[in-house]
Amino acid sequence: MELIDITAIWVGLVGLAVIMYVVLDGFDLGVGILYPFMPDERARDDVMRSVAPVWDGNETWLVLGGAGLLAAFPAMYSILLPALYLGVFLLLAGLIFRGVAFEFRFKSRRSRPWWNAAFAGGSIVAAAAQGIVIGAFVQGIEVEGMVYVGGAFDWLTPFTLFTALSLVLGYALLGATWGIMKTEGTTQQWLYRVTPLLVVAVALCLLVVSLWTPLTQPQVMERWLSEWPRLLPLPLLGALALLLLWWAVQERREYLPFFAAIGLFLSAFAGIVASKWPYAIPPHVTFDEAASAPESQLFILLGILFMLPIIIGYTTWTYWVFRGKVRPSTGYS
Amino acid sequence: MEALDPLLLSRLQFAFVVSFHAIFPVFTIGLAAYIAVLEGLWYRSNDDRYRQLAEHWTRIFAVVFGMGVVSGVVMSFQFGTNWSNFAYATANFIGPILSYEVLTAFFLEAVFLGILLFGRDRVPRGTHLFAACMVAIGTFISSFWILSANSWMQTPAGFEWRDGIVYVTSWSEAIFNPSLWYRFAHVAVASLLTGGFVVAGVSAYYLLRKRAVEVHRKALSMAMWMILCAAPAQALVGDMHGLHTFEKQPIKVAAMEGNWHTRTGAPLYLIAWPDAEAEAHRFSIGIPNAASFILTHDWHGEVPGLTEVPAAERPPVGPVFWSFRVMLAIGFVMIAVALWGAWLRWRGRLYESRALHRVLQWMIPAPFVAVLAGWFVTEIGRSPWLVYGQMSLSEGVTPSLTGAMALATLIGYIVVYGIIFWAGIYYLSRIVIKGPEGYAQPRPPEIYPLRPMAVVDVSFDDDPGAETAGAEHNAYTLGESRSAEQRTGSDGVGGAGGPEGPDRDREQRGGKRHGVD
């Protein structure tokens, strides 16, 4: 062990970037997922305006994650991306359509249904692709000599399809609770009615994934049995977050549902990490093996340590500037 | 089936996505600098024309920047999807460089772009000018990092191989590798030229239609000065870059010149039909001894030919040769236009010459074509190397990639980019057609979302409702009515009904600023 384990710091940083991305872009993707089901254009305007100021910054975390992964864990970058080749394309295409729809929807009227469809479709495809990434990570990736050796469609299994569905529903839940916080009136009422359905659906998904994974993967089963009961707080935290979320919605709380939903995501994320630790690419490559040269990790770490507080400060400031309720649109009905 | 070669398809795909992406940053770098200058001039002189121009071009900037961001996200994953062996082998250098680009440049741009786009009425004028400068600097920093990575692939330095992995031995030698500054200068001047020709062309468009003549004369004059400085300077910088390439990558230069065999007194071919099989031109017209003179400053100097290296190590001659000529031809036309403009200015007819204005209008696409042609020369000329002399393209490609997958995503990107390119160009042309005189009153900043295109209040499609202002159909309607209230309070103009002329627009803005102060 060196004086300071830089790789360990980098695991933390990449984890932070993933959480930041999943929570932040999660709720604005979720808004897009809910889009086709919204009662009217006014509700669509409301929720879109609630995410419009921040979605750009949210997606920057993905770019930072991609570049950071290449810098700190090049093996993850150069194995995961080829392994998920078509999924990555779908993810990027979804994000592009959705990003452009954001800009042009507000400025169109005749072509608006088209941009609505682009926004919803792009969001759903991007969310599902991310769900597939998580599923493929959990089910394992075929590697030989730090090179992906699997086929083009290895990622396409019933399990990954199910994780894709789960993440789409999970993001929809995040988006709905975000919407509760940011809107009022009929839009908020609709979101209050939808959220309990999503809570039940997400709870079922989590339950299925939590059973499916250890039953098909002895390694995961053994991890949870050998660490028992030290890992017990993770599922308990998840269950607690679900109950809190349910209660908060019944009580018509405005802020609590969103933060309970974040808690749910954190517990699920921690659960995946705990199941797979210390593997960067399950089931063979560890974080230490995937790491880049220490001098490269150090070189970019200096920049991160200097810039990350500023970036987080800027992000916080943006959310502060756009705090409070979205104002209802009055111009057209 | 041999037709679906993953290597070839990956090269096509990378060429396509990077070419598509490159045209946006090249434009925004030049435009950001122009906007910063306009803001600076307005700050110093208080001449309202500068403010109108700054606001007009900031709107165009917002759309182009947005498209650059969207297409740039794809770039950050291309290395991994199609070139994973390259990514893995060179990550110790390329990874930190790309990360620094995100951290230093994207961040700087994002923070200050918000203030530039939405902060005009919110922050003091000095701060707004500062933000404009920071955005401009951010675009240059971004190009510095990405060109450092690209130059390192052309003239690698400051590293050693250990077990097939690049380890950086000297960060300063690797980052400031031999061709970095030539390339950076060449691209920076190209960006300024691109900005200059677009501004000149759009200003000429307005002058030909006699719209807001005073404002656009100013813009045309500024752009023509810029072109007059930058176009000849680019010839100089390009020549230095070329001579440096001749020293470091002689085979690339041999392909650019279409020189098959090492010889003295090599001619400069104007046109040629290269034949790789015969290692000769089927047909050519050239200036005797000129290539030798340009490259060695000696009419009888010896220049190495392509046959110095085995056929497998030569770049495809035709594309490099012809891209180089397209770039040069456009460069010389640019210099000619710059001199023509200077001559007209000297004769006092810069603003009257319809012929010049028409030519400028037609030349709007020219800098983009020149930039892409230049990229083709330098990138195709590097092949078959990915990292020059160190790693070949076939060594860098993703091993698991099949031709069908590469083809599927290539078609996918063409379709996706085709759609957003159409939408972006269509929308940009609408902003230009609407012009600076058509702008609605700026709304209070707090209702603006902080994202690039939100600053643009031009409708995407024709909308009959837009004519009845005050209930403008975009989503910020409450802001609309709030600013209307503010206007009523400050200068009594009221709900902004009916068409807005430039004078009236200016009056309202003046009134509003007064009210806010």
Side-chain angles (χ1 to χ4, degrees):
Chain A
M1 178 115 170
E2 302 277 319
L3 281 176
I4 305 168
D5 190 349
I6 303 177
T7 301
I9 298 174
W10 268 105
V11 172
L13 281 174
V14 169
L16 177 72
V18 170
I19 291 172
M20 287 296 280
Y21 175 74
V22 166
V23 168
L24 292 179
D25 212 30
F27 75 73
D28 67 53
L29 284 167
V31 162
I33 295 164
L34 292 171
Y35 232 57
F37 309 103
M38 298 220 153
D40 51 27
E41 278 299 293
R42 181 188 172 136
R44 292 191 183 103
D45 285 343
D46 283 349
V47 293
M48 196 169 215
R49 264 181 300 151
S50 76
V51 294
V54 292
W55 77 272
D56 226 3
N58 294 348
E59 274 181 16
T60 311
W61 287 96
L62 185 65
V63 181
L64 188 67
L69 213 54
L70 178 61
F73 299 105
M76 288 182 82
Y77 183 87
S78 63
I79 293 171
L80 290 177
L81 289 177
L84 301 161
Y85 189 80
L86 293 174
V88 171
F89 169 74
L90 289 176
L91 168 65
L92 295 174
L95 289 178
I96 288 173
F97 269 122
R98 175 172 181 280
V100 176
F102 246 113
E103 307 293 357
F104 291 138
R105 179 187 176 274
F106 280 135
K107 301 182 173 87
S108 59
R109 176 171 272 182
R110 267 186 323 171
S111 53
R112 177 165 292 192
W114 200 93
W115 293 121
N116 279 346
F119 182 61
S123 302
I124 291 169
V125 167
Q130 290 174 21
I132 285 171
V133 172
I134 294 172
F137 177 84
V138 170
Q139 79 180 6
I141 285 164
E142 255 183 90
V143 176
E144 249 171 53
M146 292 294 179
V147 170
Y148 176 65
V149 291
F153 290 96
D154 280 13
W155 51 269
L156 195 63
T157 63
F159 181 72
T160 56
L161 288 178
F162 190 78
T163 53
L165 173 73
S166 305
L167 195 67
V168 169
L169 289 169
Y171 279 172
L173 179 63
L174 258 185
T177 54
W178 165 266
I180 286 174
M181 191 165 70
K182 301 298 285 187
T183 63
E184 49 200 357
T186 54
T187 309
Q188 194 191 35
Q189 289 309 313
W190 182 80
L191 289 166
Y192 271 130
R193 284 199 303 277
V194 165
T195 306
L197 302 176
L198 287 168
V199 172
V200 172
V202 170
L204 283 174
C205 285
L206 281 174
L207 192 66
V208 170
V209 171
S210 304
L211 293 175
W212 194 333
T213 312
L215 288 179
T216 51
Q217 297 192 41
Q219 203 182 1
V220 175
M221 177 72 98
E222 202 216 334
R223 162 67 46 84
W224 282 83
L225 290 178
S226 65
E227 295 291 325
W228 189 266
R230 275 187 293 165
L231 291 178
L232 193 59
L234 294 179
L236 284 183
L237 181 73
L240 192 70
L242 274 169
L243 289 174
L244 187 66
L245 183 49
W246 180 269
W247 175 82
V249 172
Q250 300 307 322
E251 291 289 311
R252 293 292 186 260
R253 296 293 199 91
E254 295 198 318
Y255 285 73
L256 196 55
F258 181 62
F259 291 98
I262 291 179
L264 187 64
F265 267 83
L266 289 181
S267 79
F269 179 78
I272 293 171
V273 174
S275 301
K276 292 292 170 182
W277 185 262
Y279 291 104
I281 304 151
H284 298 302
V285 183
T286 64
F287 280 105
D288 279 330
E289 290 163 346
S292 59
E295 62 268 23
S296 295
Q297 287 192 336
L298 186 64
F299 181 66
I300 185 64
L301 185 64
L302 298 176
I304 295 252
L305 290 181
F306 180 70
M307 296 303 289
L308 203 61
I310 302 176
I311 293 175
I312 289 178
Y314 165 67
T315 308
T316 314
W317 177 73
T318 313
Y319 279 84
W320 175 251
V321 167
F322 295 100
R323 68 191 178 280
K325 297 286 183 190
V326 164
R327 300 188 190 97
S329 62
T330 51
Y332 49 86
S333 50
Chain B
M1 199 164 88
E2 215 178 17
L4 292 181
D5 174 15
L7 176 61
L8 178 69
L9 289 164
S10 291
R11 291 176 63 186
L12 285 175
Q13 178 170 326
F14 198 85
F16 176 74
V17 291
V18 79
S19 299
F20 181 87
H21 173 65
I23 55 179
F24 299 107
V26 163
F27 184 28
T28 48
I29 292 167
L31 203 51
Y34 178 58
I35 290 168
V37 170
L38 286 171
E39 291 280 346
L41 287 170
W42 182 55
Y43 186 77
R44 271 187 54 183
S45 71
N46 246 347
D47 185 339
D48 198 56
R49 286 177 297 179
Y50 292 125
R51 183 193 58 77
Q52 287 183 48
L53 282 172
E55 288 198 19
H56 179 50
W57 284 102
T58 302
R59 281 167 162 86
I60 291 172
F61 179 81
V63 177
V64 180
F65 191 87
M67 292 177 63
V69 168
V70 171
S71 57
V73 175
V74 174
M75 296 312 306
S76 59
F77 292 97
Q78 277 285 314
F79 301 115
T81 52
N82 288 47
W83 303 99
S84 69
N85 274 4
F86 162 73
Y88 186 64
T90 60
N92 283 333
F93 175 67
I94 302 283
I97 297 305
L98 294 185
S99 300
Y100 265 108
E101 186 185 8
V102 179
L103 285 171
T104 58
F106 293 175
F107 163 70
L108 199 69
E109 289 169 341
V111 173
F112 289 102
L113 187 70
I115 296 171
L116 176 66
L117 297 187
F118 313 108
R120 187 175 288 281
D121 298 320
R122 270 230 150 163
V123 294
R125 275 173 63 179
T127 312
H128 197 254
L129 169 62
F130 179 72
C133 294
M134 285 297 116
V135 171
I137 291 170
T139 59
F140 277 107
I141 293 177
S142 170
S143 63
F144 168 82
W145 288 113
I146 201 69
L147 286 175
S148 172
N150 180 269
S151 297
W152 184 85
M153 290 162 70
Q154 305 274 358
T155 53
F159 73 101
E160 62 184 24
W161 288 98
R162 267 183 256 153
D163 302 327
I165 305 281
V166 163
Y167 286 85
V168 178
T169 52
S170 163
W171 287 101
S172 61
E173 278 176 35
I175 293 171
F176 302 101
N177 58 76
S179 66
L180 167 69
W181 290 120
Y182 295 100
R183 207 173 303 276
F184 182 75
H186 201 43
V187 170
V189 177
S191 304
L192 296 176
L193 268 176
T194 305
F197 268 98
V198 174
V199 171
V202 171
S203 306
Y205 164 89
Y206 290 124
L207 291 179
L208 283 169
R209 284 157 189 77
K210 304 216 180 336
R211 288 175 53 182
V213 173
E214 277 306 305
V215 175
H216 295 300
R217 280 183 176 177
K218 197 92 218 166
L220 180 72
S221 168
M222 290 173 71
M224 291 309 288
W225 279 123
M226 159 64 79
I227 292 168
L228 186 61
C229 299
Q234 185 69 314
L236 208 67
V237 172
D239 181 52
M240 288 163 66
H241 187 23
L243 289 177
H244 186 260
T245 307
F246 181 61
E247 184 191 322
K248 296 282 178 187
Q249 299 173 304
I251 298 304
K252 183 195 278 186
V253 174
M256 285 156 68
E257 299 293 358
N259 188 25
W260 288 99
H261 301 282
T262 304
R263 59 177 291 183
T264 55
L268 177 67
Y269 294 112
L270 298 178
I271 50 175
W273 184 359
D275 183 344
E277 292 277 307
E279 298 181 344
H281 296 307
R282 288 191 193 173
F283 168 80
S284 65
I285 299 175
I287 304 170
N289 297 47
S292 278
F293 182 73
I294 293 170
L295 292 170
T296 64
H297 294 184
D298 174 0
W299 290 105
H300 297 285
E302 186 183 88
V303 291
L306 284 154
T307 48
E308 289 286 313
V309 294
E313 288 181 26
R314 296 173 205 159
V317 179
V320 177
F321 179 88
W322 278 108
S323 300
F324 185 53
R325 266 137 201 83
V326 168
M327 182 186 77
L328 281 186
I330 293 176
F332 284 117
V333 171
M334 285 177 168
I335 293 174
V337 169
L339 295 175
W340 184 22
W343 185 72
L344 286 172
R345 189 196 294 272
W346 181 55
R347 303 299 302 263
R349 285 174 39 222
L350 180 65
Y351 305 129
E352 277 75 43
S353 168
R354 293 181 71 83
L356 175 75
H357 298 170
R358 281 212 191 86
V359 168
L360 285 173
Q361 205 180 308
W362 293 331
M363 279 196 66
I364 290 176
F368 298 101
V369 176
V371 164
L372 289 182
W375 273 114
F376 290 169
V377 172
T378 199
E379 297 299 285
I380 300 174
R382 189 187 55 205
S383 68
W385 300 107
L386 221 174
V387 182
Y388 197 78
Q390 304 285 333
M391 184 181 210
S392 70
L393 286 159
S394 55
E395 288 170 325
V397 77
T398 299
S400 60
L401 188 62
T402 63
M405 280 190 344
L407 182 67
T409 51
L410 173 61
I411 294 172
Y413 282 119
I414 290 174
V415 170
V416 172
Y417 281 7
I419 293 171
I420 63 165
F421 190 70
W422 167 81
I425 293 294
Y426 176 73
Y427 188 47
L428 277 174
S429 62
R430 287 189 66 88
I431 299 176
V432 170
I433 290 166
K434 192 174 179 188
E437 65 267 41
Y439 294 148
Q441 176 82 3
R443 302 183 198 84
E446 68 265 28
I447 54 95
Y448 279 127
L450 265 173
R451 63 200 161 81
M453 285 194 226
V455 73
V456 187
D457 49 10
V458 176
S459 161
F460 187 83
D461 47 25
D462 292 313
D463 177 15
E467 296 306 315
T468 53
E472 202 172 347
H473 64 281
N474 67 44
Y476 311 110
T477 329
L478 188 78
E480 194 60 28
S481 62
R482 280 186 53 164
S483 67
E485 278 162 31
Q486 258 178 326
R487 287 196 292 256
T488 317
S490 58
D491 59 11
V493 170
E500 295 188 78
D503 293 338
R504 177 183 170 143
D505 194 26
R506 211 172 306 152
E507 192 181 296
Q508 286 180 354
R509 283 167 197 238
K512 175 160 178 268
R513 260 205 312 283
H514 189 70
V516 168
D517 290 344

